[in-house]
Amino acid sequence: NAGVTQTPKFRILKIGQSMTLQCTQDMNHNYMYWYRQDPGMGLKLIYYSVGAGITDKGEVPNGYNVSRSTTEDFPLRLELAAPSQTSVYFCASGESYGYTFGSGTRLTVV
Amino acid sequence: GESVGLHLPTLSVQEGDNSIINCAYSNSASDYFIWYKQESGKGPQFIIDIRSNMDKRQGQRVTVLLNKTVKHLSLQIAATQPGDSAVYFCAENISGGYQKVTFGTGTKLQVIP
């Protein structure tokens, strides 16, 4: 049972480039989440999904987009990367308040 | 500002002693509180949760206490071990769905061998 798998683990982007952070879960959870974690800070919710085809904005959605075509996958798209998007990104899933998190993607925008 | 906050950013504890990590919250509408552990370079890991209609809940070596009168939450770790070294986050949920969880900034627990 892999849980929540995120790829890539590390990435360096130039300002203005775009990329997709991949997230897959094999627990058949309807609820999935994307968070960002800045150094020494807690987690901020970017987007979430309550099921395939349904997504909604979290606390810090600007500069990001998501899609949820299947229960398993919840990719996060960054368009026109900016230095302010340098962060560690975590995907999570869960059917309760105890989420299962992936190991994260460390993104640096230069 | 942050609705969920922590009293101490870093806590150092001798191996074998008990650890107490504190957390304050400000939203009276919060109905669920969750503790996560995050080891260096890893994603957060769920530890224990407590519903607002409870004042205590115990797990394996951990106890969470909730004082709604002063809006205070604590995580107690018994017989702290080196493997407990991590950042601990409290989080709160405002009633209305699993997605409405707000995380605090975290407390770093350092276990001294």
Side-chain angles (χ1 to χ4, degrees):
Chain A
N1 191 338
V4 178
T5 302
Q6 290 184 240
T7 57
K9 292 190 185 302
F10 304 94
R11 183 72 186 267
I12 298 175
L13 276 183
K14 292 184 179 180
I15 295 172
Q17 288 185 322
S18 60
M19 75 165 293
T20 299
L21 283 66
Q22 302 292 343
C23 176
T24 299
Q25 55 98 0
D26 62 0
M27 297 170 285
N28 203 34
H29 288 159
N30 285 312
Y31 287 78
M32 294 188 74
Y33 313 86
W34 273 106
Y35 286 89
R36 60 177 286 173
Q37 184 177 36
D38 297 327
M41 301 295 289
L43 292 97
K44 300 288 187 183
L45 182 64
I46 305 170
Y47 271 95
Y48 67 94
S49 170
V50 300
I54 306 169
T55 62
D56 208 346
K57 296 177 181 179
E59 185 181 358
V60 290
N62 292 342
Y64 308 94
N65 276 299
V66 293
S67 60
R68 185 93 182 271
S69 57
T70 67
T71 300
E72 294 79 18
D73 299 309
F74 190 39
L76 177 71
R77 178 81 177 166
L78 278 73
E79 304 283 1
L80 298 175
S84 61
Q85 293 178 304
T86 293
S87 190
V88 180
Y89 291 84
F90 289 102
C91 178
S93 74
E95 296 292 331
S96 66
Y97 298 106
Y99 303 163
T100 299
F101 281 84
S103 57
T105 294
R106 184 175 295 274
L107 175 68
T108 302
V109 181
V110 296
Chain B
E2 290 284 337
S3 174
V4 177
L6 294 169
H7 295 308
L8 297 172
T10 304
L11 177 66
S12 296
V13 174
Q14 204 74 34
E15 181 179 357
D17 287 352
N18 297 334
S19 302
I20 301 176
I21 301 170
N22 296 304
C23 179
Y25 67 95
S26 58
N27 197 323
S28 300
S30 297
D31 68 348
Y32 229 97
F33 301 90
I34 312 104
W35 282 99
Y36 282 91
K37 171 186 180 183
Q38 186 176 26
E39 296 175 271
S40 182
K42 296 184 178 180
Q45 178 183 11
F46 169 77
I47 302 173
I48 191 168
D49 56 15
I50 187 168
R51 193 180 289 276
S52 61
N53 63 356
M54 303 170 67
D55 54 19
K56 181 180 180 179
R57 191 171 186 206
Q58 289 184 293
Q60 189 170 6
R61 277 201 311 119
V62 295
T63 300
V64 56
L65 299 178
L66 176 62
N67 186 330
K68 292 182 287 295
T69 302
V70 295
K71 296 187 180 69
H72 184 268
L73 187 70
S74 68
L75 178 71
Q76 300 179 4
I77 304 173
T80 310
Q81 302 169 359
D84 295 326
S85 293
V87 175
Y88 290 81
F89 293 94
C90 66
E92 62 178 327
N93 175 265
I94 302 170
S95 59
Y98 299 137
Q99 68 276 15
K100 297 184 188 298
V101 172
T102 301
F103 286 81
T105 53
T107 291
K108 184 176 182 178
L109 176 64
Q110 295 178 325
V111 181
I112 304 166

